[in-house]
Amino acid sequence: MRRRTLLATGMAGLTTVALGRPAFAGPANRHLRVALVPLDDRPVNTYAPQMTAASAGAQVQLPPKELLGRFFTPADGAAIARWLGSTDGVDGYVISVSMLAYGGLIASRTAAPTLAAALENLAAIRDLRSTRPDAVIEVHDTIQRLAITSTGTELDTYRDLLVAWAKLYDQVVNLGQEQLRAQLDAVRAQIPDQVVADYLAARSRNHQVNRLMVEWVADGTISHLVLSEDDTAPVGLARAERVELEALVAELGVGGRVEIFPGADEVDALLVARVIAAGTAPTYRAEYAGVSGESWTAQLESIPFAENIRRHAAAVGGRVVSGDADIVLAVNTPSSAPGQRAADLDAFVGRIGELLAAGTPVIVVDPLIVNKADHELVARMESGLDLAALLSYSGWNTGGNALGLALGHGTARWAYLRSSGSGFGVPELRGPGQAHAEYLLYRFVKDDPWKNVVQVEAYAHARAQGWDPLALTPEQKSYFDGWVRERLVPLTERYFADHFAGHRIVLGRRGARTFTATLARFESARVELPWDRLFEVILEPRLRLS
């Protein structure tokens, strides 16, 4: 069991005080509060932004859970619109158009919600601006991905064909690659007319709403907008829609208040962090494990990863620089040759260790492999670094997802530590410090051993019984709630014991004094499947500081 005591960011040369209780009593500053209409009810869109905020001493206020829908059951957008109008005493709003207009991300990919109903729900944003003219209203919408959602029905037969058709259509019709016409016609002939009609109807409706949101930035209704490209590709109908939206942004002169980039699930947490870090204008310098992000594009994305970093940094209120920076983004990119990989990773982890020892804040972004962490990297980090010293880590899902989740958490925590000595003396620091450690533990366990080990075993176990791991019955879901819990709770406890227990974390600073606490023990973890599938898991660890 490891018991390392390297301190977190900004420790070099400072006097440290270990805190078993708050060092100073006094009037506490009011917690910053953000009202969030999330993309859907999955942990990445609820727990992740909540913990991002909690690590910075802030609070996220969500609509009542029963309004948010679940899996294929859409949320009650009209009720969420009414909830939005009833919120009060908040410092900013983060609003997902997919949730408010259509009932969530999955519902937004179907033709069922009408444009009229969507616009009626979206009027809540206009009403909010009318009644609260000075409010910070952060909004995000998705540029619909090429693939439909797997439903476990006959419609899944056409999933890959629709993606192929959408790419070929763009290449032939929009880009003039007539040599692909016969291939386009052949793919189209395999898809029923109604399936294509529904697909295009959803895309058309969503694109109209995308455009409207840009117009609302121009007229001042929306403070700032992110249009995220959900699982995109270099060609396809999504590319053509993005080009039109970029032209509209330029025409209306709102480029400083609109970002368009690959991603989706990370944007709730990213924009919550933007509200928290407002006014701090953080700078970031990217350092890469392998090739430069300028020359590498992540899978399911359409722009070089370095450009995606620049756009995500702008979305959280910061910018990328080439020299001295507030925060270093340590980014796991592929090596130029397979035989170079081990040496690259060793040097990369060694470099992170040097940065931490020098007191440099570090965010680790692990976008290399879709849907999971790069275990070869994480294993080296576990043996060579104090994981609790990092500002944040993520290797979850797509490159943009991993980037935005790590960037949001790390930026919010950095902004909190930067301001922790201001106000009425040293505030209560232990709660945010505990939340930060819990979220770090969550990220490492969920992105590596859950994705690389437990989930793989769960998929195999389900298939061995003839069950679909992405479409469980209620009885199968109940079975796997227990099956996953039995494995993931002790695994999380062991991970804490091996890599976090006994480590000190920075709680805050006052002048030259840095206040710390020790990660004492693992208390419990809530574990269950949020939806009737094995793709993601609820994992909520609770720790004790001493």
Side-chain angles (χ1 to χ4, degrees):
M1 187 178 298
R2 300 179 181 87
R3 291 289 188 272
R4 304 183 65 211
T5 57
L6 290 174
L7 300 179
T9 58
M11 294 293 297
L14 299 182
T15 302
T16 64
V17 180
L19 287 188
R21 56 180 179 170
F24 299 95
N29 292 329
R30 183 182 72 83
H31 289 294
L32 183 145
R33 294 174 58 214
V34 183
L36 170 64
V37 175
L39 186 62
D40 56 35
D41 72 314
R42 289 172 299 152
V44 67
N45 296 310
T46 52
Y47 182 73
Q50 285 179 308
M51 295 305 287
T52 293
S55 70
Q59 297 175 342
V60 165
Q61 183 177 341
L62 289 163
K65 183 175 176 58
E66 61 270 17
L67 301 184
L68 293 179
R70 182 178 176 275
F71 208 4
F72 292 116
T73 301
D76 188 339
I80 291 173
R82 291 191 293 272
W83 171 84
L84 193 59
S86 70
T87 56
D88 198 11
V90 300
D91 299 277
Y93 296 86
V94 174
I95 302 169
S96 163
V97 170
S98 296
M99 171 64 81
L100 184 61
Y102 315 117
L105 183 60
I106 286 181
S108 75
R109 299 172 185 156
T110 72
T114 67
L115 178 61
L119 295 177
E120 185 174 347
N121 293 345
L122 290 171
I125 301 176
R126 292 283 240 187
D127 294 342
L128 197 62
R129 174 58 71 208
S130 176
T131 58
R132 294 156 202 178
D134 297 326
V136 174
I137 303 177
E138 300 282 341
V139 173
H140 66 101
D141 198 3
T142 54
I143 299 173
Q144 186 177 334
R145 75 179 190 179
L146 297 179
I148 59 175
T149 299
S150 295
T151 61
T153 68
E154 184 184 1
L155 188 61
D156 291 356
T157 307
Y158 308 108
R159 177 186 168 93
D160 292 342
L161 286 169
L162 275 170
V163 172
W165 176 78
K167 290 180 178 179
L168 286 165
Y169 186 95
D170 184 40
Q171 289 172 288
V172 173
V173 177
N174 297 323
L175 300 176
Q177 299 175 18
E178 282 296 325
Q179 70 274 20
L180 299 174
R181 173 75 66 176
Q183 190 176 345
L184 169 65
D185 292 342
V187 172
R188 175 63 182 84
Q190 300 176 64
I191 311 172
D193 291 347
Q194 189 59 51
V195 171
V196 174
D198 288 347
Y199 180 73
L200 290 178
R203 298 205 73 93
S204 175
R205 178 203 61 213
N206 292 359
H207 187 56
Q208 290 180 70
V209 171
N210 290 159
R211 291 180 61 90
L212 180 63
M213 294 302 101
V214 176
E215 293 167 0
W216 282 8
V217 174
D219 70 16
T221 301
I222 294 172
S223 306
H224 172 255
L225 173 68
V226 167
L227 295 172
S228 59
E229 299 176 89
D230 184 15
D231 294 359
T232 189
V235 295
L237 294 179
R239 182 210 64 84
E241 292 162 358
R242 185 196 74 235
V243 169
E244 286 190 17
L245 291 165
E246 288 171 340
L248 180 62
V249 168
E251 176 188 337
L252 297 179
V254 293
R257 291 188 287 144
V258 179
E259 281 86 42
I260 303 175
F261 54 67
D265 287 338
E266 78 278 15
V267 183
D268 282 322
L270 191 70
L271 292 182
V272 165
R274 179 185 175 95
V275 175
I276 291 168
T280 61
T283 56
Y284 309 91
R285 183 179 73 251
E287 299 192 12
Y288 298 101
V291 300
S292 168
E294 303 287 356
S295 60
W296 177 67
T297 298
Q299 189 178 347
L300 298 176
E301 297 190 356
S302 59
I303 58 176
F305 201 71
E307 179 59 26
N308 207 8
I309 290 174
R310 285 189 283 269
R311 296 182 189 186
H312 274 77
V316 81
R319 60 190 175 91
V320 175
V321 298
S322 57
D324 292 340
D326 297 312
I327 301 168
V328 168
L329 298 179
V331 184
N332 184 23
T333 51
S335 298
S336 57
Q340 184 66 26
R341 189 61 182 161
D344 281 350
L345 287 177
D346 288 341
F348 183 60
V349 172
R351 174 59 177 160
I352 296 171
E354 292 173 359
L355 291 166
L356 292 176
T360 303
V362 179
I363 291 171
V364 178
V365 183
D366 188 6
L368 186 62
I369 306 173
V370 172
N371 284 337
K372 61 184 180 180
D374 179 359
H375 178 69
E376 294 303 313
L377 168 63
V378 174
R380 285 170 169 80
M381 291 171 63
E382 290 167 353
S383 62
L385 299 176
D386 178 3
L387 301 185
L390 297 170
L391 274 181
S392 59
Y393 164 84
S394 180
W396 190 81
N397 215 8
T398 69
N401 294 159
L403 169 62
L405 290 170
L407 193 61
H409 176 202
T411 299
R413 184 63 182 167
W414 169 84
Y416 176 77
L417 292 175
R418 182 175 179 270
S419 63
S420 59
S422 63
F424 299 101
V426 176
E428 169 55 65
L429 304 172
R430 293 174 58 80
Q434 179 177 318
H436 170 64
E438 289 167 350
Y439 190 41
L440 264 180
L441 175 63
Y442 162 89
R443 284 260 62 98
F444 276 104
V445 172
K446 186 172 182 180
D447 297 352
D448 187 21
W450 159 252
K451 279 291 187 179
N452 282 308
V453 180
V454 180
Q455 188 189 68
V456 174
E457 294 173 352
Y459 273 49
H461 184 54
R463 286 168 176 149
Q465 299 178 83
W467 300 350
D468 183 349
L470 296 179
L472 301 173
T473 67
E475 294 76 16
Q476 293 164 0
K477 193 265 189 188
S478 178
Y479 169 83
F480 268 112
D481 278 338
W483 190 95
V484 171
R485 187 178 302 114
E486 288 173 1
R487 287 155 179 79
L488 202 53
V489 172
L491 187 155
T492 305
E493 185 170 12
R494 288 195 304 272
Y495 201 96
F496 171 80
D498 289 343
H499 306 299
F500 284 84
H503 293 227
R504 283 186 291 164
I505 61 168
V506 170
L507 299 181
R509 302 185 180 92
R510 182 174 176 82
R513 305 177 75 189
T514 296
F515 299 91
T516 71
T518 300
L519 294 169
R521 68 173 183 267
F522 174 90
E523 295 275 281
S524 64
R526 176 190 173 211
V527 171
E528 65 179 279
L529 303 177
W531 287 357
D532 300 336
R533 64 183 190 180
L534 288 165
F535 183 76
E536 63 269 294
V537 68
I538 292 170
L539 170 62
E540 299 178 4
R542 294 290 293 173
L543 307 179
R544 176 67 64 89
L545 304 183
S546 64

